[in-house]
Coordinates of all heavy atoms in Angstrom, one line a residue:
E199 N -13.5 -0.3 -9.3 CA -14.8 -0.5 -10.0 C -15.9 -1.1 -9.2 O -17.1 -0.9 -9.4 CB -14.5 -1.5 -11.2 CG -13.7 -0.9 -12.3 CD -13.2 -1.9 -13.4 OE1 -13.6 -3.1 -13.2 OE2 -12.5 -1.5 -14.3
N200 N -15.5 -1.8 -8.1 CA -16.5 -2.3 -7.2 C -16.9 -1.3 -6.1 O -17.7 -1.7 -5.2 CB -15.9 -3.6 -6.5 CG -15.8 -4.8 -7.5 OD1 -16.5 -4.9 -8.4 ND2 -14.8 -5.7 -7.2
G201 N -16.5 -0.1 -6.2 CA -16.9 1.0 -5.4 C -16.0 1.3 -4.2 O -16.4 2.1 -3.4
A202 N -14.8 0.7 -4.1 CA -13.9 1.0 -3.0 C -13.3 2.4 -3.2 O -12.9 2.8 -4.3 CB -12.8 0.0 -2.9
F203 N -13.4 3.2 -2.1 CA -12.8 4.5 -2.2 C -11.2 4.4 -2.1 O -10.6 5.2 -2.8 CB -13.3 5.4 -1.0 CG -12.7 6.7 -0.9 CD1 -13.1 7.7 -1.9 CD2 -11.7 7.1 0.0 CE1 -12.6 9.0 -1.8 CE2 -11.2 8.4 0.0 CZ -11.6 9.3 -0.9
N204 N -10.7 3.5 -1.3 CA -9.3 3.3 -1.2 C -9.0 1.8 -1.1 O -9.2 1.2 -0.1 CB -8.7 4.0 0.1 CG -7.2 3.8 0.2 OD1 -6.5 3.2 -0.6 ND2 -6.6 4.4 1.2
P205 N -8.6 1.2 -2.2 CA -8.4 -0.3 -2.2 C -7.3 -0.7 -1.2 O -7.4 -1.9 -0.8 CB -7.8 -0.5 -3.7 CG -8.4 0.6 -4.5 CD -8.4 1.8 -3.6
F206 N -6.4 0.1 -0.8 CA -5.4 -0.2 0.2 C -6.1 -0.4 1.6 O -5.5 -1.1 2.5 CB -4.3 0.8 0.3 CG -3.3 0.7 -0.8 CD1 -3.5 1.3 -2.0 CD2 -2.2 -0.1 -0.7 CE1 -2.6 1.2 -3.1 CE2 -1.3 -0.2 -1.7 CZ -1.5 0.4 -2.9
D207 N -7.2 0.2 1.8 CA -7.9 0.1 3.1 C -8.7 -1.1 3.2 O -9.9 -1.1 2.9 CB -8.8 1.4 3.3 CG -9.2 1.5 4.8 OD1 -8.8 0.7 5.6 OD2 -10.0 2.5 5.0
T208 N -8.1 -2.2 3.6 CA -8.7 -3.5 3.6 C -8.3 -4.3 4.9 O -7.4 -3.9 5.5 CB -8.3 -4.4 2.4 OG1 -8.9 -5.7 2.4 CG2 -6.8 -4.5 2.2
E209 N -9.1 -5.4 5.2 CA -8.8 -6.1 6.4 C -7.7 -7.2 6.2 O -7.3 -7.8 7.1 CB -10.1 -6.8 6.8 CG -11.1 -5.9 7.4 CD -10.7 -5.3 8.8 OE1 -10.2 -6.1 9.6 OE2 -10.8 -4.1 9.0
N210 N -7.3 -7.4 4.9 CA -6.2 -8.3 4.6 C -4.9 -7.6 4.7 O -4.8 -6.4 4.5 CB -6.4 -9.0 3.3 CG -7.6 -9.9 3.3 OD1 -7.9 -10.6 4.2 ND2 -8.3 -9.9 2.1
I211 N -3.8 -8.4 4.9 CA -2.4 -7.8 4.7 C -2.2 -7.4 3.3 O -2.5 -8.2 2.4 CB -1.4 -8.8 5.2 CG1 -1.6 -9.1 6.7 CG2 0.0 -8.3 4.9 CD1 -0.7 -10.2 7.2
V212 N -1.8 -6.2 3.0 CA -1.6 -5.7 1.6 C -0.1 -5.9 1.3 O 0.8 -5.5 2.0 CB -2.0 -4.3 1.5 CG1 -1.8 -3.8 0.1 CG2 -3.5 -4.1 1.9
I213 N 0.1 -6.5 0.1 CA 1.4 -6.7 -0.4 C 1.6 -5.9 -1.7 O 0.8 -6.1 -2.7 CB 1.7 -8.2 -0.7 CG1 1.6 -9.0 0.6 CG2 3.1 -8.4 -1.3 CD1 1.7 -10.5 0.4
S214 N 2.6 -5.0 -1.8 CA 2.7 -4.2 -3.0 C 4.2 -4.1 -3.4 O 5.1 -4.2 -2.6 CB 2.2 -2.7 -2.7 OG 2.5 -1.8 -3.7
S215 N 4.4 -3.9 -4.7 CA 5.8 -3.7 -5.2 C 6.2 -2.3 -4.9 O 5.4 -1.4 -4.6 CB 5.8 -4.0 -6.7 OG 5.1 -3.0 -7.4
L216 N 7.5 -2.1 -4.9 CA 8.0 -0.7 -4.7 C 7.5 0.3 -5.7 O 7.1 1.4 -5.4 CB 9.6 -0.8 -4.8 CG 10.3 -1.5 -3.7 CD1 11.7 -1.9 -4.1 CD2 10.4 -0.7 -2.4
Q217 N 7.5 -0.1 -7.0 CA 7.1 0.8 -8.1 C 5.6 1.1 -7.9 O 5.2 2.3 -8.1 CB 7.3 0.1 -9.4 CG 7.1 1.0 -10.6 CD 8.2 2.1 -10.7 OE1 9.3 1.9 -10.4 NE2 7.8 3.3 -11.2
F218 N 4.8 0.1 -7.6 CA 3.3 0.3 -7.4 C 3.1 1.2 -6.2 O 2.2 2.1 -6.2 CB 2.6 -1.0 -7.3 CG 1.1 -0.8 -7.5 CD1 0.6 -0.7 -8.8 CD2 0.2 -0.8 -6.5 CE1 -0.8 -0.6 -9.0 CE2 -1.1 -0.7 -6.6 CZ -1.6 -0.6 -7.9
A219 N 3.8 1.0 -5.1 CA 3.6 1.8 -3.9 C 4.0 3.3 -4.2 O 3.3 4.2 -3.7 CB 4.6 1.3 -2.8
K220 N 5.0 3.5 -5.1 CA 5.3 4.8 -5.5 C 4.2 5.5 -6.3 O 3.8 6.6 -6.1 CB 6.6 4.8 -6.2 CG 7.1 6.2 -6.7 CD 7.0 6.4 -8.1 CE 7.6 7.7 -8.6 NZ 7.5 7.9 -10.1
S221 N 3.6 4.7 -7.2 CA 2.6 5.3 -8.1 C 1.3 5.5 -7.4 O 0.5 6.4 -7.8 CB 2.4 4.3 -9.3 OG 1.8 3.1 -8.8
K222 N 1.0 4.8 -6.3 CA -0.2 4.9 -5.5 C 0.1 5.5 -4.1 O -0.6 5.2 -3.1 CB -0.9 3.6 -5.4 CG -1.2 2.9 -6.7 CD -2.1 3.7 -7.6 CE -2.4 3.0 -8.9 NZ -3.2 3.9 -9.9
A223 N 1.1 6.3 -4.0 CA 1.5 6.9 -2.7 C 0.4 7.6 -2.0 O 0.3 7.6 -0.8 CB 2.7 7.8 -2.9
A224 N -0.4 8.3 -2.8 CA -1.5 9.1 -2.1 C -2.5 8.2 -1.4 O -3.0 8.5 -0.3 CB -2.3 9.9 -3.2
Y225 N -2.8 7.0 -1.9 CA -3.7 6.1 -1.3 C -3.0 5.5 0.0 O -3.6 5.3 1.0 CB -4.1 4.9 -2.2 CG -5.0 5.4 -3.4 CD1 -4.4 5.8 -4.6 CD2 -6.3 5.4 -3.2 CE1 -5.2 6.2 -5.6 CE2 -7.2 5.8 -4.3 CZ -6.6 6.2 -5.5 OH -7.4 6.6 -6.5
I226 N -1.7 5.2 -0.1 CA -1.0 4.6 1.0 C -0.9 5.6 2.1 O -1.1 5.3 3.3 CB 0.4 4.2 0.5 CG1 0.3 3.0 -0.4 CG2 1.3 3.9 1.7 CD1 1.7 2.5 -1.0
K227 N -0.6 6.9 1.8 CA -0.5 7.9 2.8 C -1.8 8.2 3.6 O -1.8 8.5 4.7 CB -0.1 9.2 2.1 CG 0.3 10.3 3.1 CD 0.9 11.6 2.4 CE 1.3 12.6 3.4 NZ 1.9 13.8 2.7
S228 N -3.0 8.0 2.9 CA -4.3 8.2 3.5 C -4.7 7.0 4.3 O -5.8 7.1 5.0 CB -5.3 8.6 2.4 OG -5.5 7.5 1.5
T229 N -4.0 5.9 4.3 CA -4.4 4.7 5.1 C -3.7 4.7 6.4 O -2.5 5.0 6.5 CB -4.0 3.4 4.3 OG1 -4.6 3.5 3.0 CG2 -4.5 2.2 5.1
N230 N -4.4 4.5 7.5 CA -3.9 4.5 8.8 C -3.2 3.2 9.2 O -3.8 2.3 9.9 CB -5.0 4.8 9.8 CG -4.5 5.0 11.2 OD1 -3.4 5.5 11.4 ND2 -5.4 4.8 12.2
W231 N -2.1 3.0 8.7 CA -1.3 1.7 8.8 C -0.9 1.5 10.3 O -0.4 2.4 10.9 CB -0.1 1.6 7.9 CG -0.4 1.8 6.5 CD1 -0.2 2.9 5.7 CD2 -1.1 0.8 5.6 NE1 -0.6 2.7 4.4 CE2 -1.2 1.4 4.3 CE3 -1.5 -0.5 5.8 CZ2 -1.7 0.7 3.3 CZ3 -2.1 -1.2 4.7 CH2 -2.2 -0.6 3.5
D232 N -1.1 0.2 10.8 CA -0.6 -0.1 12.0 C 0.9 -0.5 11.9 O 1.7 -0.3 12.9 CB -1.3 -1.4 12.6 CG -2.8 -1.0 12.9 OD1 -3.0 0.0 13.6 OD2 -3.7 -1.7 12.4
L233 N 1.3 -1.0 10.8 CA 2.7 -1.4 10.5 C 3.0 -1.5 9.1 O 2.2 -2.0 8.3 CB 3.0 -2.7 11.2 CG 4.5 -3.3 11.0 CD1 5.4 -2.4 11.8 CD2 4.6 -4.7 11.4
V234 N 4.2 -1.0 8.7 CA 4.6 -1.1 7.3 C 6.0 -1.9 7.3 O 6.9 -1.5 8.0 CB 4.8 0.3 6.6 CG1 5.3 0.1 5.2 CG2 3.5 1.0 6.6
I235 N 6.1 -2.9 6.5 CA 7.3 -3.7 6.4 C 7.8 -3.5 5.0 O 7.1 -3.7 4.0 CB 7.0 -5.2 6.7 CG1 6.7 -5.4 8.1 CG2 8.3 -6.0 6.3 CD1 6.4 -6.9 8.5
I236 N 9.1 -3.2 4.9 CA 9.8 -3.0 3.6 C 10.9 -4.0 3.5 O 11.8 -4.0 4.2 CB 10.4 -1.5 3.5 CG1 9.3 -0.5 3.7 CG2 11.0 -1.4 2.1 CD1 9.8 0.9 3.6
D237 N 10.7 -4.9 2.5 CA 11.6 -6.0 2.3 C 12.7 -5.5 1.2 O 12.3 -4.7 0.4 CB 10.9 -7.2 1.8 CG 11.8 -8.5 1.7 OD1 12.9 -8.4 2.4 OD2 11.5 -9.5 1.1
E238 N 13.9 -6.0 1.3 CA 15.0 -5.5 0.4 C 15.1 -4.0 0.5 O 15.2 -3.3 -0.5 CB 14.8 -6.0 -1.0 CG 14.6 -7.5 -1.2 CD 15.9 -8.3 -0.9 OE1 17.0 -7.7 -1.0 OE2 15.9 -9.5 -0.6
A239 N 15.1 -3.5 1.7 CA 15.0 -2.1 1.9 C 16.2 -1.3 1.4 O 16.2 -0.1 1.2 CB 14.8 -1.8 3.4
H240 N 17.3 -2.0 1.1 CA 18.5 -1.3 0.6 C 18.2 -0.7 -0.8 O 19.0 0.2 -1.2 CB 19.7 -2.3 0.4 CG 19.4 -3.5 -0.4 ND1 18.9 -4.7 0.2 CD2 19.4 -3.8 -1.7 CE1 18.7 -5.6 -0.7 NE2 19.0 -5.1 -1.9
R241 N 17.1 -1.1 -1.4 CA 16.7 -0.4 -2.7 C 16.3 1.0 -2.5 O 16.3 1.8 -3.4 CB 15.6 -1.2 -3.4 CG 16.0 -2.6 -3.8 CD 15.0 -3.2 -4.8 NE 15.4 -4.5 -5.2 CZ 15.0 -5.1 -6.3 NH1 14.1 -4.5 -7.1 NH2 15.4 -6.3 -6.7

């Protein structure tokens, strides 16, 4: 609503749940991540 094209593309560390990451996969894929950390990865 504030005009962001991709809310994941930010200068802060982004924290997301597994379910939300799945639902917004297109936005995550289009972001040029330097590093992705997956906690409780056995899920």
